[in-house]
Amino acid sequence: MRLTFSMGRWAPAALLLFGLAAALITGPAAAQQGYSVLDNPQPTDSTGDAVQVREFFSYGCPHCADFEPVLSDWVAENEGRVDLVHTPITFGRDSWAVLARAYYAADALGILDQTHRAMFDAIHEEGRQFESHADVAAFYASVADVSEAEVMDALNSFAVSSSLNRAERLAGAYGVRGTPSLGVAGQYLVDVRQAGGQRGMLDVADSLVAGEAGEG
């Protein structure tokens, strides 16, 4: 007796099994390549053809201090191709919350060019501690053309608080486990350990950017 099968009958089950197999393969494969795929992609606001790369960092992180010049050089080499967004996070630490607020205050005041690298150097080269808003205000007034009062106003502003809250939500959405980490195109998280180091992290990010940009 000859048995016959209808593809129409079995197609839904076959597709389901194929989807499950693909998911099982993609997860470990992505991890082996140094990145994870977000369950819920996040919106980006890059302009033109640039692909957004989001750095999750803290001024209090020594690895972020080492990574900053390497990342800056990479972004300069990829001008017009990559849109870098810094995202300071706290991991629930009060000391890192002060530093994250300091980043957004400098951004609001338009003085990041004067303060960003200076903050890393002050903490990791000079051993300075920023335990309060007053500490940040005094430092910013010493390295940029702003008054301590202006810095204090920015630090305590609703806009800075909103930016900090959004950064915390993004860290959760991306599943950030350590710093520095890179989010790419709102869809991928590149982890420094999975990528095998900071240079490896940029290599992975470069490959993901190429894929998003349709570079062949």
Side-chain angles (χ1 to χ4, degrees):
M1 181 174 64
R2 183 178 176 182
L3 297 177
T4 60
F5 295 89
S6 169
M7 272 308 289
R9 178 183 175 186
W10 293 99
L15 288 173
L16 177 60
L17 289 172
F18 178 80
L20 290 172
L24 290 171
I25 293 171
T26 301
Q32 289 174 6
Q33 294 175 40
Y35 67 90
S36 55
V37 181
L38 271 62
D39 292 333
N40 298 302
Q42 298 299 300
T44 62
D45 52 6
S46 295
T47 58
D49 296 327
V51 176
Q52 185 185 84
V53 174
R54 184 180 294 278
E55 182 204 18
F56 293 97
F57 82 102
S58 172
Y59 286 129
C61 165
H63 305 297
C64 298
D66 293 338
F67 188 49
E68 193 278 329
V70 181
L71 177 62
S72 295
D73 288 345
W74 181 76
V75 171
E77 293 167 3
N78 288 278
E79 184 177 0
R81 180 173 178 259
V82 165
D83 178 24
L84 178 67
V85 178
H86 295 292
T87 305
I89 59 176
T90 71
F91 290 128
R93 303 178 190 178
D94 291 342
S95 59
W96 280 25
V98 171
L99 299 175
R101 191 172 287 271
Y103 172 84
Y104 283 120
D107 187 31
L109 292 167
I111 59 172
L112 276 173
D113 286 347
Q114 290 79 52
T115 62
H116 189 59
R117 182 66 226 180
M119 281 291 285
F120 281 122
D121 290 342
I123 295 169
H124 301 286
E125 299 295 331
E126 302 168 18
R128 295 187 62 157
Q129 295 185 359
F130 295 91
E131 299 178 349
S132 67
H133 292 182
D135 293 336
V136 175
F139 180 69
Y140 278 4
S142 73
V143 298
D145 187 21
V146 290
S147 68
E148 292 187 35
E150 289 174 318
V151 179
M152 289 295 287
D153 285 345
L155 285 165
N156 293 308
S157 69
F158 175 78
V160 166
S161 294
S162 297
S163 294
L164 183 57
N165 289 336
R166 180 171 183 266
E168 294 291 275
R169 290 195 298 272
L170 282 169
Y174 275 84
V176 178
R177 296 179 295 276
T179 52
S181 295
L182 296 177
V184 179
Q187 299 184 64
Y188 313 100
L189 179 72
V190 185
D191 181 273
V192 67
R193 287 170 293 276
Q194 288 181 344
Q198 295 181 359
R199 185 67 252 179
M201 187 161 58
L202 290 178
D203 290 341
V204 172
D206 192 74
S207 177
L208 292 171
V209 168
E212 288 298 309
E215 300 171 1

